Amino acid sequence: MQSTQPDLDDLFRALSQRERRQTLRYLDRQDTPVAVEELATTLATDQQRHDTEQVTLALTHKHLLLLEETNLVERTSRERVIATDATGAAIDVLNTVCYYFE
């Protein structure tokens, strides 16, 4: 796993969308890499959506790319992702912000 901490502006950009926040929270609870389809199914269920394919596309082409660029997730293969060392710190920031503002 990578240990590079994201820039603060990049971190807040990564946390600015619900799908990415849910992704980080889910991956942070997993001990092993997660298939993108499993992640998409989980997010679709959490959001009460039936279009898992659309969620998969958004994850693959938008959300996971940004999270990977920010070093908050790492692709272990084309179809699997895992949290990085920086993910826990990002979750701490997210929880603190949510405590005061959500």
Side-chain angles (χ1 to χ4, degrees), residues 11-83:
L11 175 63
F12 280 111
R13 183 171 47 115
L15 297 176
S16 69
Q17 290 204 342
R18 179 177 58 173
E19 290 85 356
R20 291 193 289 264
R21 293 190 300 269
Q22 291 174 317
T23 295
L24 291 176
R25 284 183 168 137
Y26 183 75
L27 291 176
D28 192 53
R29 293 189 306 262
Q30 308 307 309
D31 293 328
T32 59
V34 174
V36 174
E37 290 211 2
E38 175 188 338
L39 179 58
T41 300
T42 300
L43 293 181
T45 301
D46 289 351
Q47 297 171 10
Q48 298 179 347
R49 294 174 59 176
H50 301 287
D51 56 343
T52 304
E53 185 175 318
Q54 289 290 6
V55 175
T56 302
L57 287 172
L59 279 170
T60 303
H61 295 288
K62 181 180 179 184
H63 301 302
L64 291 176
L65 291 174
L66 188 128
L67 292 172
E68 192 173 18
E69 289 171 7
T70 313
N71 296 319
L72 294 174
V73 302
E74 181 179 304
R75 289 180 196 253
T76 60
S77 72
R78 184 156 176 82
E79 299 298 324
R80 295 194 173 275
V81 292
I82 192 166

